[in-house]
Amino acid sequence: GAKLVHFIYHFARHVMTEDVKRLSVDTGIPFAEAVMWRSQDMYIAKARHRVAYNKLLQILQREDFVIDEYKKKAR
């Protein structure tokens, strides 16, 4: 039901936030903490979302590149 969906959403958000924090260590970019903030201003909330989304995308692209390089070297 709705409670299960709500619980799974919050659990997935927690897991993703912890993963982003782990991946952002030593990058000097404190966007993982900004994801957890609550904002009353919708403009600020949307801006934080865009920043977090772009940084996460960059991290995932870098991780994919590294994995591809390992696969190439393994061949």
Side-chain angles (χ1 to χ4, degrees):
K3 287 184 180 181
L4 178 64
V5 170
H6 184 72
F7 173 75
I8 291 174
Y9 166 76
H10 281 286
F11 179 71
R13 180 179 171 161
H14 172 74
V15 170
M16 285 301 299
T17 303
E18 291 302 315
D19 193 41
V20 168
K21 284 180 185 178
R22 182 181 58 81
L23 292 173
S24 67
V25 171
D26 295 330
T27 61
I29 304 169
F31 71 92
E33 290 80 15
V35 171
M36 296 305 292
W37 292 341
R38 302 279 182 208
S39 177
Q40 300 299 331
D41 186 7
M42 187 55 72
Y43 175 78
I44 301 274
K46 287 181 180 179
R48 285 184 184 145
H49 173 265
R50 281 192 308 271
V51 169
Y53 178 82
N54 288 337
K55 294 299 178 182
L56 179 61
L57 184 60
Q58 289 174 359
I59 289 169
L60 293 175
Q61 287 174 337
R62 184 174 8 147
E63 186 176 327
D64 185 53
F65 175 77
V66 169
I67 290 171
D68 285 344
E69 289 296 314
Y70 283 142
K71 286 180 182 178
K72 286 178 186 176
K73 289 180 182 179
R75 289 185 207 155

